[in-house]
Coordinates of all heavy atoms in Angstrom, one line a residue:
M1 N 81.4 110.8 77.5 CA 81.6 111.1 78.8 C 82.5 109.8 79.4 O 82.1 108.8 79.2 CB 80.4 111.3 79.7 CG 80.6 111.6 81.1 SD 79.0 112.0 81.9 CE 79.6 112.2 83.5
A2 N 83.4 110.1 80.2 CA 84.2 109.0 80.8 C 83.5 108.3 81.9 O 82.7 108.9 82.6 CB 85.6 109.6 81.2
T3 N 83.8 107.1 82.0 CA 83.3 106.3 83.1 C 84.1 106.4 84.3 O 85.3 106.5 84.2 CB 83.0 104.9 82.7 OG1 84.2 104.3 82.3 CG2 82.0 104.8 81.6
L4 N 83.7 106.0 85.4 CA 84.4 105.9 86.7 C 85.1 104.5 86.7 O 84.5 103.6 86.4 CB 83.5 106.0 87.9 CG 84.3 105.8 89.2 CD1 85.2 107.1 89.5 CD2 83.2 105.8 90.4
S5 N 86.4 104.4 87.0 CA 87.1 103.2 87.0 C 87.6 103.0 88.4 O 88.2 103.9 89.0 CB 88.3 103.2 86.0 OG 87.8 103.4 84.6
T6 N 87.4 101.8 88.9 CA 88.0 101.5 90.3 C 88.8 100.1 90.2 O 88.4 99.3 89.4 CB 86.8 101.4 91.2 OG1 85.9 100.3 90.9 CG2 86.1 102.7 91.4
F7 N 89.7 100.1 91.1 CA 90.6 99.0 91.1 C 90.9 98.6 92.6 O 91.2 99.5 93.3 CB 92.0 99.2 90.4 CG 91.8 99.7 89.0 CD1 91.8 101.1 88.8 CD2 91.5 98.8 88.1 CE1 91.6 101.6 87.5 CE2 91.3 99.2 86.8 CZ 91.3 100.7 86.4
H8 N 90.7 97.4 93.1 CA 91.0 96.9 94.4 C 92.2 96.0 94.3 O 92.3 95.1 93.5 CB 89.8 96.2 95.0 CG 88.7 97.2 95.2 ND1 88.5 97.9 96.3 CD2 87.6 97.5 94.4 CE1 87.4 98.7 96.2 NE2 86.8 98.5 95.1
S9 N 93.0 96.0 95.4 CA 94.2 95.1 95.5 C 93.7 93.7 95.6 O 92.7 93.3 96.2 CB 94.8 95.5 96.8 OG 95.9 94.6 97.0
S10 N 94.5 92.8 94.9 CA 94.2 91.4 94.9 C 95.3 90.8 95.8 O 95.4 89.5 95.9 CB 94.4 90.8 93.5 OG 95.7 91.0 93.0
C11 N 96.1 91.5 96.5 CA 97.2 91.1 97.4 C 96.8 90.8 98.8 O 97.5 90.8 99.7 CB 98.4 92.0 97.3 SG 99.1 92.0 95.7
G12 N 95.4 90.9 99.0 CA 94.9 90.6 100.4 C 94.8 92.0 101.2 O 94.3 92.0 102.3
G13 N 95.2 93.0 100.7 CA 95.0 94.3 101.3 C 93.8 95.1 101.0 O 92.9 94.5 100.3
F14 N 93.5 96.2 101.5 CA 92.3 97.1 101.4 C 92.6 98.1 100.4 O 91.7 99.0 100.3 CB 91.8 97.5 102.7 CG 91.4 96.4 103.6 CD1 92.2 96.0 104.7 CD2 90.2 95.7 103.5 CE1 91.8 95.1 105.6 CE2 89.8 94.8 104.3 CZ 90.6 94.3 105.5
D15 N 93.7 98.2 99.8 CA 94.1 99.3 99.0 C 93.2 99.5 97.7 O 92.7 98.5 97.1 CB 95.5 99.1 98.3 CG 96.5 99.1 99.4 OD1 96.7 100.3 100.1 OD2 97.3 98.2 99.6
F16 N 92.8 100.7 97.5 CA 91.9 101.1 96.4 C 92.5 102.2 95.5 O 93.0 103.1 96.1 CB 90.6 101.6 97.0 CG 89.7 102.3 96.1 CD1 88.8 101.7 95.3 CD2 89.7 103.7 96.0 CE1 87.9 102.4 94.4 CE2 88.9 104.4 95.2 CZ 88.0 103.7 94.4
L17 N 92.4 102.1 94.2 CA 92.8 103.2 93.4 C 91.5 103.4 92.4 O 90.8 102.5 92.0 CB 93.9 102.9 92.5 CG 95.3 102.8 93.2 CD1 96.3 102.3 92.2 CD2 95.7 104.3 93.5
G18 N 91.3 104.7 92.2 CA 90.2 104.9 91.3 C 90.4 106.2 90.4 O 91.3 107.1 90.7
I19 N 89.8 106.3 89.3 CA 89.8 107.5 88.4 C 88.5 108.1 88.4 O 87.5 107.4 88.3 CB 90.1 107.0 86.9 CG1 91.3 106.2 86.8 CG2 90.2 108.2 86.1 CD1 91.5 105.5 85.5
R20 N 88.5 109.4 88.5 CA 87.2 110.2 88.5 C 87.4 111.4 87.7 O 88.5 111.8 87.6 CB 86.7 110.4 89.9 CG 87.5 111.5 90.7 CD 87.0 111.7 92.1 NE 87.8 112.7 92.7 CZ 87.7 113.0 94.0 NH1 86.9 112.3 94.8 NH2 88.4 113.9 94.5
K21 N 86.3 112.0 87.3 CA 86.4 113.3 86.7 C 86.5 114.4 87.8 O 85.6 114.4 88.8 CB 85.1 113.6 85.8 CG 85.2 112.9 84.5 CD 86.2 113.7 83.6 CE 85.9 113.5 82.1 NZ 86.7 114.2 81.2
G22 N 87.4 115.4 87.7 CA 87.4 116.4 88.6 C 86.5 117.5 88.3 O 85.8 117.5 87.3
R23 N 86.3 118.5 89.2 CA 85.4 119.7 89.0 C 85.8 120.5 87.8 O 85.0 121.1 87.2 CB 85.5 120.5 90.3 CG 84.9 119.9 91.4 CD 84.9 120.8 92.6 NE 84.4 120.0 93.8 CZ 84.0 120.4 94.9 NH1 84.2 121.8 95.1 NH2 83.6 119.7 95.9
M24 N 87.1 120.5 87.4 CA 87.6 121.3 86.2 C 87.4 120.4 85.0 O 87.9 120.9 83.9 CB 88.9 121.8 86.5 CG 89.1 122.6 87.7 SD 88.0 124.0 87.8 CE 89.1 125.3 87.5
G25 N 87.0 119.3 85.1 CA 86.8 118.4 83.9 C 87.9 117.4 83.6 O 87.7 116.5 82.8
G26 N 89.0 117.5 84.2 CA 90.1 116.6 84.0 C 89.9 115.4 84.8 O 89.1 115.3 85.7
F27 N 90.9 114.4 84.7 CA 90.8 113.2 85.5 C 91.6 113.5 86.8 O 92.5 114.3 87.0 CB 91.6 112.1 84.9 CG 90.8 111.6 83.6 CD1 91.4 111.7 82.4 CD2 89.6 110.9 83.8 CE1 90.7 111.3 81.3 CE2 88.9 110.4 82.7 CZ 89.5 110.5 81.5
E28 N 91.1 112.7 87.9 CA 91.7 112.7 89.2 C 91.9 111.3 89.6 O 91.1 110.4 89.2 CB 90.8 113.4 90.3 CG 90.8 114.9 90.0 CD 90.0 115.6 91.2 OE1 89.3 115.0 91.9 OE2 90.1 116.8 91.2
I29 N 93.0 110.9 90.3 CA 93.3 109.7 90.8 C 93.1 109.6 92.3 O 93.4 110.6 93.0 CB 94.8 109.2 90.5 CG1 95.0 109.2 89.0 CG2 95.1 107.9 91.2 CD1 96.4 108.9 88.6
V30 N 92.3 108.7 92.8 CA 92.1 108.6 94.2 C 92.6 107.3 94.8 O 92.6 106.3 94.2 CB 90.4 108.6 94.5 CG1 90.2 108.4 95.9 CG2 89.8 109.8 93.9
Y31 N 93.4 107.4 95.9 CA 93.9 106.3 96.6 C 93.3 106.2 98.1 O 93.2 107.3 98.6 CB 95.4 106.4 96.7 CG 96.0 105.4 97.6 CD1 96.2 104.1 97.3 CD2 96.3 105.7 99.0 CE1 96.8 103.1 98.1 CE2 96.8 104.8 99.9 CZ 97.1 103.6 99.5 OH 97.6 102.5 100.4
D32 N 92.9 105.1 98.4 CA 92.5 104.8 99.9 C 93.1 103.6 100.3 O 93.0 102.6 99.7 CB 91.0 104.8 99.8 CG 90.4 104.9 101.2 OD1 90.7 104.2 102.1 OD2 89.6 105.8 101.5
D33 N 93.7 103.6 101.5 CA 94.3 102.4 102.1 C 93.2 101.5 102.9 O 93.7 100.5 103.4 CB 95.5 102.6 102.9 CG 95.2 103.5 104.2 OD1 94.1 103.7 104.5 OD2 96.2 103.7 105.0
G34 N 92.0 102.0 103.0 CA 91.0 101.3 103.7 C 91.0 101.4 105.2 O 90.2 100.9 105.9
V35 N 92.0 102.2 105.7 CA 92.1 102.3 107.2 C 92.0 103.8 107.6 O 91.1 104.2 108.2 CB 93.4 101.8 107.7 CG1 93.5 101.9 109.2 CG2 93.5 100.3 107.3
K36 N 93.0 104.5 107.1 CA 93.0 106.0 107.6 C 93.5 107.0 106.5 O 93.4 108.2 106.7 CB 93.9 106.2 108.8 CG 95.3 105.8 108.6 CD 96.1 106.1 109.9 CE 97.6 105.7 109.5 NZ 98.4 105.9 110.7
R37 N 94.1 106.5 105.3 CA 94.7 107.4 104.5 C 93.9 107.5 103.2 O 93.6 106.5 102.6 CB 96.1 107.0 104.2 CG 96.9 108.0 103.4 CD 98.5 107.7 103.5 NE 98.7 106.5 103.2 CZ 100.0 106.0 102.9 NH1 100.9 106.8 102.8 NH2 100.2 104.6 102.9
R38 N 93.5 108.8 102.7 CA 93.0 108.9 101.5 C 93.8 110.2 100.7 O 93.9 111.3 101.3 CB 91.6 109.4 101.6 CG 90.8 109.5 100.2 CD 89.4 109.7 100.3 NE 88.9 109.7 99.1 CZ 87.6 110.0 98.7 NH1 86.8 110.4 99.5 NH2 87.3 109.9 97.4
L39 N 94.2 109.8 99.5 CA 95.0 110.9 98.8 C 94.3 110.9 97.4 O 93.8 110.2 96.8 CB 96.4 110.3 98.6 CG 97.1 110.0 99.9 CD1 98.4 109.3 99.6 CD2 97.4 111.3 100.7
V40 N 94.5 112.2 97.0 CA 93.8 112.6 95.6 C 94.9 113.4 94.8 O 95.6 114.3 95.4 CB 92.6 113.5 95.7 CG1 92.1 113.8 94.3 CG2 91.6 112.7 96.5
W41 N 95.0 112.9 93.5 CA 96.0 113.8 92.6 C 95.3 114.1 91.3 O 94.3 113.4 90.8 CB 97.2 112.8 92.1 CG 98.0 112.3 93.2 CD1 99.1 112.9 93.7 CD2 97.9 111.1 94.0 NE1 99.7 112.1 94.7 CE2 98.9 111.0 94.9 CE3 96.9 110.0 93.9 CZ2 99.0 109.9 95.8 CZ3 97.0 109.0 94.8 CH2 98.1 109.0 95.8
R42 N 95.6 115.3 90.8 CA 95.0 115.8 89.5 C 95.9 115.4 88.3 O 97.2 115.6 88.6 CB 94.8 117.3 89.7 CG 94.1 117.9 88.4 CD 93.8 119.4 88.7 NE 93.0 119.6 89.8 CZ 93.4 120.3 90.8 NH1 94.5 120.9 91.0 NH2 92.6 120.4 91.9
V43 N 95.5 114.8 87.4 CA 96.3 114.4 86.2 C 96.6 115.5 85.4 O 95.5 116.3 85.0 CB 95.5 113.3 85.4 CG1 96.4 112.9 84.2 CG2 95.4 112.1 86.2
Q44 N 97.8 115.8 85.1 CA 98.2 117.1 84.3 C 98.3 116.6 82.8 O 98.7 115.6 82.4 CB 99.5 117.5 84.7 CG 99.6 117.9 86.1 CD 98.7 119.2 86.4 OE1 98.9 120.2 85.8 NE2 97.8 118.8 87.3
G45 N 97.8 117.5 81.9 CA 97.8 117.3 80.5 C 96.7 116.4 80.1 O 95.9 116.0 80.7
K46 N 96.8 116.1 78.7 CA 95.8 115.1 78.1 C 96.3 113.8 78.2 O 97.4 113.4 77.7 CB 95.6 115.5 76.7 CG 95.1 117.0 76.5 CD 94.0 117.0 75.5 CE 93.5 118.4 75.4 NZ 92.2 118.6 75.7
T47 N 95.5 112.9 79.0 CA 95.8 111.5 79.1 C 94.5 110.7 79.0 O 93.4 111.2 79.6 CB 96.3 111.2 80.4 OG1 97.5 111.9 80.5 CG2 96.7 109.7 80.6
G48 N 94.4 109.6 78.2 CA 93.3 108.9 78.1 C 92.9 108.0 79.4 O 93.8 107.6 80.0
E49 N 91.6 107.8 79.5 CA 91.2 106.9 80.7 C 91.8 105.5 80.5 O 92.1 105.0 81.5 CB 89.6 106.9 80.7 CG 89.2 106.1 81.9 CD 87.7 106.1 81.9 OE1 87.0 106.7 81.1 OE2 87.1 105.5 82.9
A50 N 91.9 105.1 79.3 CA 92.5 103.6 79.2 C 93.8 103.6 79.6 O 94.4 102.6 80.3 CB 92.3 103.2 77.7
Q51 N 94.7 104.6 79.2 CA 96.0 104.6 79.7 C 96.3 104.7 81.2 O 97.0 104.1 81.9 CB 96.8 105.8 79.0 CG 98.3 105.8 79.2 CD 98.9 107.1 78.5 OE1 98.3 108.0 78.2 NE2 100.2 106.9 78.3
L52 N 95.4 105.6 81.8 CA 95.4 105.8 83.3 C 94.8 104.4 83.9 O 95.5 103.9 84.8 CB 94.4 106.7 83.7 CG 94.9 108.3 83.6 CD1 93.8 109.2 83.9 CD2 96.0 108.4 84.6
G53 N 93.9 103.8 83.4 CA 93.4 102.5 83.9 C 94.5 101.4 83.9 O 94.6 100.7 84.8
D54 N 95.1 101.3 82.8 CA 96.2 100.3 82.6 C 97.3 100.5 83.7 O 97.8 99.6 84.4 CB 96.9 100.3 81.3 CG 96.0 99.9 80.1 OD1 94.9 99.1 80.5 OD2 96.3 100.1 79.0
A55 N 97.6 101.7 83.9 CA 98.6 102.1 85.0 C 98.2 101.7 86.4 O 99.0 101.1 87.2 CB 99.1 103.6 84.9
L56 N 96.9 102.1 86.7 CA 96.4 101.9 88.1 C 96.2 100.3 88.3 O 96.4 99.9 89.4 CB 95.2 102.7 88.2 CG 95.3 104.2 88.2 CD1 94.1 104.9 88.5 CD2 96.5 104.7 89.1
Q57 N 95.7 99.7 87.3 CA 95.4 98.2 87.4 C 96.7 97.5 87.6 O 96.8 96.6 88.5 CB 94.8 97.7 86.1 CG 94.5 96.2 86.1 CD 93.5 95.8 87.1 OE1 92.4 96.4 87.1 NE2 93.7 94.8 88.0
S58 N 97.8 97.9 87.0 CA 99.2 97.3 87.2 C 99.5 97.5 88.6 O 100.2 96.7 89.3 CB 100.1 97.8 86.2 OG 101.3 97.1 86.4
A59 N 99.4 98.8 89.1 CA 100.0 99.3 90.4 C 99.2 98.6 91.6 O 99.8 98.2 92.6 CB 99.9 100.8 90.4
V60 N 98.0 98.4 91.5 CA 97.2 98.0 92.6 C 97.4 96.6 92.9 O 97.2 96.1 94.0 CB 95.6 98.3 92.4 CG1 95.0 97.2 91.5 CG2 94.9 98.5 93.7
N61 N 98.0 95.8 92.0 CA 98.2 94.4 92.2 C 99.7 94.2 92.7 O 100.0 93.0 92.8 CB 97.9 93.6 90.9 CG 96.5 93.5 90.8 OD1 95.7 93.3 91.7 ND2 96.1 93.7 89.6
K62 N 100.4 95.2 93.1 CA 101.7 95.1 93.7 C 101.5 95.3 95.2 O 100.6 95.9 95.8 CB 102.6 96.2 93.1 CG 102.7 96.2 91.7 CD 103.7 95.2 91.2 CE 104.1 95.3 89.8 NZ 103.2 95.4 88.7
P63 N 102.6 94.6 96.0 CA 102.5 94.7 97.4 C 102.5 96.2 98.0 O 101.9 96.4 99.0 CB 103.7 93.9 98.0 CG 104.0 93.0 96.7 CD 103.6 93.7 95.5
R64 N 103.4 97.1 97.3 CA 103.4 98.5 97.8 C 102.8 99.3 96.6 O 103.4 99.7 95.6 CB 104.9 98.8 98.0 CG 105.6 98.1 99.1 CD 106.8 98.5 99.4 NE 106.9 99.9 99.6 CZ 107.9 100.6 99.9 NH1 109.0 100.0 100.1 NH2 107.9 101.9 100.0
V65 N 101.5 99.6 96.9 CA 100.7 100.2 95.7 C 101.1 101.6 95.4 O 101.3 101.9 94.2 CB 99.3 100.2 96.2 CG1 98.3 101.0 95.2 CG2 98.7 98.8 96.4
L66 N 101.4 102.4 96.3 CA 101.8 103.9 96.0 C 103.1 103.9 95.3 O 103.2 104.6 94.2 CB 101.8 104.7 97.3 CG 100.4 105.1 97.8 CD1 100.6 106.1 99.0 CD2 99.5 105.8 96.8
P67 N 104.2 103.3 95.7 CA 105.4 103.4 94.9 C 105.2 102.8 93.6 O 105.6 103.3 92.6 CB 106.4 102.6 95.7 CG 105.9 102.7 97.2 CD 104.5 102.6 97.0
A68 N 104.4 101.7 93.4 CA 104.2 101.1 92.2 C 103.4 102.1 91.3 O 103.6 102.1 89.9 CB 103.4 99.8 92.4
M69 N 102.4 102.8 91.8 CA 101.5 103.7 91.0 C 102.4 104.9 90.4 O 102.4 105.2 89.3 CB 100.5 104.3 91.9 CG 99.6 105.4 91.0 SD 98.5 106.2 92.1 CE 99.7 107.6 92.8
Y70 N 103.3 105.4 91.3 CA 104.2 106.4 90.8 C 105.1 105.9 89.7 O 105.4 106.6 88.7 CB 105.1 107.0 92.0 CG 104.3 107.7 93.0 CD1 104.5 107.4 94.2 CD2 103.7 108.9 92.6 CE1 103.8 108.2 95.3 CE2 103.0 109.6 93.5 CZ 103.1 109.2 94.9 OH 102.4 110.0 95.8
T71 N 105.6 104.7 89.8 CA 106.4 104.0 88.7 C 105.7 103.9 87.6 O 106.2 104.2 86.4 CB 107.1 102.7 89.3 OG1 107.8 102.9 90.4 CG2 107.8 102.0 88.2
E72 N 104.4 103.3 87.6 CA 103.6 103.1 86.4 C 103.3 104.4 85.6 O 103.3 104.4 84.5 CB 102.3 102.3 86.7 CG 102.6 100.9 87.2 CD 103.2 100.0 86.2 OE1 102.9 100.1 85.0 OE2 104.0 99.1 86.4
L73 N 103.0 105.4 86.5 CA 102.7 106.7 85.8 C 103.9 107.3 85.2 O 103.9 107.8 84.1 CB 102.1 107.6 86.8 CG 100.8 107.3 87.4 CD1 100.4 108.2 88.5 CD2 99.7 107.2 86.3
K74 N 105.0 107.2 85.7 CA 106.3 107.7 85.3 C 106.7 107.0 84.0 O 107.0 107.6 83.0 CB 107.5 107.6 86.2 CG 108.6 108.2 85.7 CD 109.7 108.2 86.8 CE 111.0 108.9 86.4 NZ 112.1 108.9 87.3
K75 N 106.4 105.6 83.8 CA 106.7 104.9 82.6 C 105.9 105.4 81.5 O 106.3 105.2 80.3 CB 106.5 103.4 82.8 CG 107.4 102.6 83.6 CD 107.3 101.1 83.5 CE 106.1 100.6 84.1 NZ 106.1 99.1 84.2
R76 N 104.7 105.8 81.8 CA 103.8 106.3 80.8 C 103.8 107.8 80.6 O 103.0 108.3 79.9 CB 102.4 105.8 81.1 CG 102.2 104.3 81.0 CD 100.9 103.9 81.7 NE 100.7 102.5 81.5 CZ 101.1 101.5 82.3 NH1 102.0 101.9 83.3 NH2 100.9 100.2 82.1
S77 N 104.8 108.4 81.2 CA 104.9 109.9 81.1 C 103.6 110.6 81.6 O 103.2 111.6 80.8 CB 105.3 110.4 79.8 OG 106.5 109.8 79.5
I78 N 103.0 110.2 82.6 CA 101.7 110.9 83.1 C 102.1 111.7 84.3 O 102.6 111.1 85.3 CB 100.7 109.8 83.5 CG1 100.2 109.0 82.1 CG2 99.5 110.5 84.1 CD1 99.3 107.9 82.5
A79 N 102.0 113.0 84.2 CA 102.2 113.9 85.4 C 101.0 114.1 86.1 O 99.8 114.2 85.7 CB 102.7 115.2 84.8
I80 N 101.2 114.2 87.5 CA 100.1 114.3 88.4 C 100.5 115.4 89.5 O 101.7 115.6 89.7 CB 99.8 113.0 89.2 CG1 101.0 112.4 89.9 CG2 99.1 112.1 88.3 CD1 100.6 111.3 90.8
E81 N 99.5 116.0 90.1 CA 99.8 117.0 91.2 C 98.9 116.6 92.4 O 97.7 116.2 92.1 CB 99.7 118.4 90.7 CG 98.3 118.9 90.5 CD 98.1 120.3 90.3 OE1 99.0 121.1 90.6 OE2 97.1 120.7 89.6
A82 N 99.4 116.8 93.6 CA 98.5 116.4 94.7 C 97.4 117.5 94.9 O 97.6 118.6 94.6 CB 99.4 116.4 96.0
V83 N 96.3 117.0 95.4 CA 95.0 117.9 95.7 C 94.8 117.7 97.1 O 94.9 116.6 97.7 CB 93.9 117.4 94.8 CG1 92.7 118.1 95.2 CG2 94.0 117.5 93.3
A84 N 94.6 118.9 97.8 CA 94.3 118.9 99.2 C 92.9 118.4 99.4 O 91.9 118.6 98.7 CB 94.3 120.3 99.8
V85 N 92.9 117.4 100.4 CA 91.6 116.6 100.6 C 90.9 117.2 101.8 O 91.5 117.4 102.9 CB 91.7 115.3 100.7 CG1 90.4 114.5 101.1 CG2 92.4 114.6 99.5

């Protein structure tokens, strides 16, 4: 069973990225800006937790977390789809 992974910004912001298991068994990525915005994406296809963790860890330490997350996921060919919250 996969563990929950969480990452907090080291750039002085309140940004949070996390990996969780979704209801259908696949991974989901959660973003929270610490103020008003919370977003969730479902990971498409088979991707390991370690690969997702590396991408999110790299992204959360950038000044613009969301664009960095999209870039890191694209570099690793990880597809995501938005989930209504």
Side-chain angles (χ1 to χ4, degrees):
M1 182 170 175
T3 59
L4 176 69
S5 298
T6 60
F7 309 96
H8 293 273
S9 176
S10 63
C11 296
F14 296 103
D15 294 300
F16 163 87
L17 284 171
I19 304 169
R20 68 181 186 194
K21 280 286 203 173
R23 293 181 182 190
M24 304 303 256
F27 289 114
E28 292 181 346
I29 298 172
V30 178
Y31 168 79
D32 194 304
D33 69 359
V35 179
K36 63 179 179 179
R37 190 166 45 163
R38 183 173 189 189
L39 304 168
V40 179
W41 299 269
R42 187 173 300 118
V43 177
Q44 301 296 300
K46 299 226 182 244
T47 302
E49 183 178 2
Q51 186 179 19
L52 279 171
D54 289 343
L56 299 185
Q57 178 67 49
S58 180
V60 81
N61 290 315
K62 303 285 193 301
R64 296 188 49 182
V65 175
L66 285 180
M69 182 191 77
Y70 290 126
T71 300
E72 292 296 327
L73 293 173
K74 187 175 181 178
K75 281 197 297 191
R76 292 165 175 81
S77 299
I78 299 172
I80 58 174
E81 71 172 340
V83 175
V85 179

